[in-house]
Amino acid sequence: MAKVNRARSTSPPDGGWGWMVVAGCFLVTICTRAVTRCISIFFVDFQTYFSQDYAQTAWIHSIVDCVTMLCAPLGSVVSNHFSCQVGIMLGGLLASTGLILGSFATSLKHLYLTLGVLTGLGFALCYSPAIAMVGKYFSRRKALAYGISMSGSGIGIFILAPVVQLLIEQFSWRGALLILGGFVLNLCVCGALMRPITLKDDQTTSEQNHVCRTETQGFQRASPSSTWTKEWVQTCLCGSLQQEYNFLLMSDFVVLAISVLFMAYGCSPLFVYLVPYALSIGVSHQQAAFLMSILGVIDIIGNITFGWLTDRRCLKNYQYICYLFAIGMDGLCYLCLPMLQSLPLLVPFACTFGYFDGAYVTLIPVVTAEIVGTTSLSSALGVVYFLHAVPYLVSPPIAGWLVDTTGSYTAAFLLCGFSMIFSSVLLGFARLVKKMRKTQLQFLAKESDPKLQLWTNGSVAYSVARELDQKDGESVAIAMLGSNPT
């Protein structure tokens, strides 16, 4: 494959071809997340054709979701070592192949492997690299760009759901899967739009990796069978991987990862159990389906408007807090849900939950980029979406077990609500502790030496004592901040 030409830029262009990248990411979210949600429309036909119960049929949706998130780091690795274009095109081919082969399935096990594993793997290769590319092209209007990109999920559900139902009625579930397989091939077109861009930080990292590769090739030519050469190659590879995933050692990212586990556990069950809960309190099937439509439409509004609002000057520096607020509001909605016993009360709930669900989904890449930077964003997003896998897989069965045990949905909804609130509180507490520590370090620095200046970079404080001539002053700075002065 020909070497990809990379656009050179010292900073994100915040426009230009970036809007084509946003359009590509928008289509990627339609072809991945929206198609995944629409798989539930096939459940009744799968049950009838294969004569299986709901639990066994539901594993298809769980496997697609789990594999998509579980293999998200693989998508980041492919895009980092080849290009985002290669990763998304390859993912589109795999996902389309899975859907097409699924149309010839003769048992649910075949669907587990094709529609579940193969299609999920293809989606994984597309999703996180496309989102990371938006972060490389935008800085000042990043939240708005992500809002437009992520709204593809809600718009896709709103449009594809009736279309898929019509396809099933006209061509049966096999024909519908075959047509969806052709539709998902549009991921290859989306991949072609992801023109790589090299920023200033990327150039530094690329130069370091190039030096390492050049030295390795030189040593291999000099002594191809040398044990020392093999050790050098292993050291370079380990160093490259360590540099690519060094954010895993950052305390801020560790806290974010833990909070994502609780957030992902809470957000998934509602989309499975909202309709059954509405039916259990006397709402008709048409009205229950209407609630899901409201969730999808309001989710779109939350994606775009919340991204636009948090890009305004008054909220630009508070995007992290807005992210916490959105997750906490969804948690509060969960806590109120058991008290809502009629359709007029469920409609405002669906509007509120849908809006803030779209809001925090938009800000996940923004908050991740704030912690790890744009250079490691693709790898970091791969890890973040990887952490969604296990909660997505286990939370609906756990909620179902609670419903079967208690005879009501209250315990299941309360557990999800407290899980999301804990995720928000954990991140807020970590940010508060970090701010208090930073203030304390600045105070100690001023008390120690009035000439000492402080700068902060991420979660690590560095002391710079340029005007200190005495060795004692430098020792004080090192002992106080645990870092060598520049």
Side-chain angles (χ1 to χ4, degrees), residues 352-429:
T352 306
F353 187 93
Y355 182 83
F356 287 107
D357 179 73
Y360 76 75
V361 167
T362 297
L363 291 180
I364 286 177
V366 178
V367 172
T368 305
E370 180 182 334
I371 293 175
V372 305
T374 57
T375 302
S376 302
L377 180 58
S378 179
S379 301
L381 281 177
V383 174
V384 167
Y385 292 128
F386 166 82
L387 294 172
H388 285 67
V390 175
Y392 275 6
L393 186 66
V394 303
S395 57
I398 291 176
W401 176 79
L402 288 173
V403 173
D404 293 335
T405 303
T406 62
S408 71
Y409 292 86
T410 302
F413 289 152
L414 291 181
L415 181 59
C416 292
F418 283 121
S419 178
M420 298 194 78
I421 290 175
F422 178 77
S423 173
S424 178
V425 171
L426 177 64
L427 285 175
F429 180 75

Side-chain angles (χ1 to χ4, degrees), residues 310-379:
T310 52
D311 268 340
R312 299 304 92 195
R313 184 176 300 177
C314 57
L315 294 177
K316 184 71 173 179
N317 297 326
Y318 301 99
Q319 291 175 333
Y320 192 94
I321 297 175
C322 292
Y323 172 74
L324 305 185
F325 176 74
I327 296 177
M329 286 300 297
D330 269 356
L332 290 176
C333 288
Y334 259 123
L335 300 185
C336 297
L337 183 55
M339 297 181 289
L340 308 179
Q341 299 290 322
S342 64
L343 181 65
L345 294 177
L346 287 177
V347 170
F349 162 82
C351 293
T352 306
F353 187 93
Y355 182 83
F356 287 107
D357 179 73
Y360 76 75
V361 167
T362 297
L363 291 180
I364 286 177
V366 178
V367 172
T368 305
E370 180 182 334
I371 293 175
V372 305
T374 57
T375 302
S376 302
L377 180 58
S378 179
S379 301

Side-chain angles (χ1 to χ4, degrees), residues 30-233:
I30 291 178
C31 294
T32 55
R33 303 310 300 157
V35 170
T36 299
R37 298 298 182 191
C38 289
I39 290 176
S40 60
I41 301 174
F42 291 89
F43 277 7
V44 175
D45 297 271
F46 289 159
Q47 283 179 296
T48 304
Y49 187 87
F50 297 110
S51 301
Q52 299 292 338
D53 57 18
Y54 179 83
Q56 291 178 317
T57 309
W59 276 106
I60 299 173
H61 187 278
S62 296
I63 292 173
V64 174
D65 246 343
C66 181
V67 172
T68 300
M69 298 305 178
L70 196 66
C71 297
L74 179 61
S76 300
V77 170
V78 172
S79 64
N80 289 339
H81 288 274
F82 296 98
S83 73
C84 185
Q85 293 174 319
V86 173
I88 295 178
M89 289 181 177
L90 178 61
L93 291 174
L94 288 176
S96 177
T97 302
L99 287 165
I100 293 173
L101 291 178
S103 66
F104 298 98
T106 57
S107 69
L108 281 183
K109 292 181 180 178
H110 293 166
L111 289 175
Y112 294 161
L113 293 175
T114 56
L115 190 56
V117 176
L118 193 58
T119 300
L121 178 60
F123 288 164
L125 294 178
C126 301
Y127 192 55
S128 57
I131 295 174
M133 282 298 295
V134 176
K136 287 182 176 294
Y137 270 89
F138 288 87
S139 176
R140 185 170 53 88
R141 291 180 286 187
K142 182 180 291 185
L144 175 61
Y146 274 128
I148 297 173
S149 302
M150 306 298 283
S151 67
S153 177
I155 294 175
I157 294 172
F158 182 73
I159 296 175
L160 283 180
V163 171
V164 169
Q165 183 61 47
L166 180 63
L167 291 175
I168 294 174
E169 294 173 359
Q170 295 293 325
F171 306 104
S172 79
W173 64 267
R174 293 186 184 276
L177 281 181
L178 193 63
I179 294 172
L180 273 182
F183 172 73
V184 168
L185 273 176
N186 284 292
L187 286 170
C188 296
V189 180
C190 300
L193 295 175
M194 301 296 172
R195 180 189 297 170
I197 181 173
T198 303
L199 303 177
K200 184 177 181 180
D201 294 338
D202 297 332
Q203 291 175 4
T204 303
T205 304
S206 178
E207 289 172 359
Q208 294 174 351
N209 293 336
H210 177 71
V211 170
C212 182
R213 286 194 299 268
T214 302
E215 293 179 356
T216 300
Q217 293 172 357
F219 285 123
Q220 285 178 330
R221 287 193 295 267
S223 52
S225 61
S226 173
T227 303
W228 184 83
T229 302
K230 295 179 181 178
E231 293 178 354
W232 173 262
V233 172

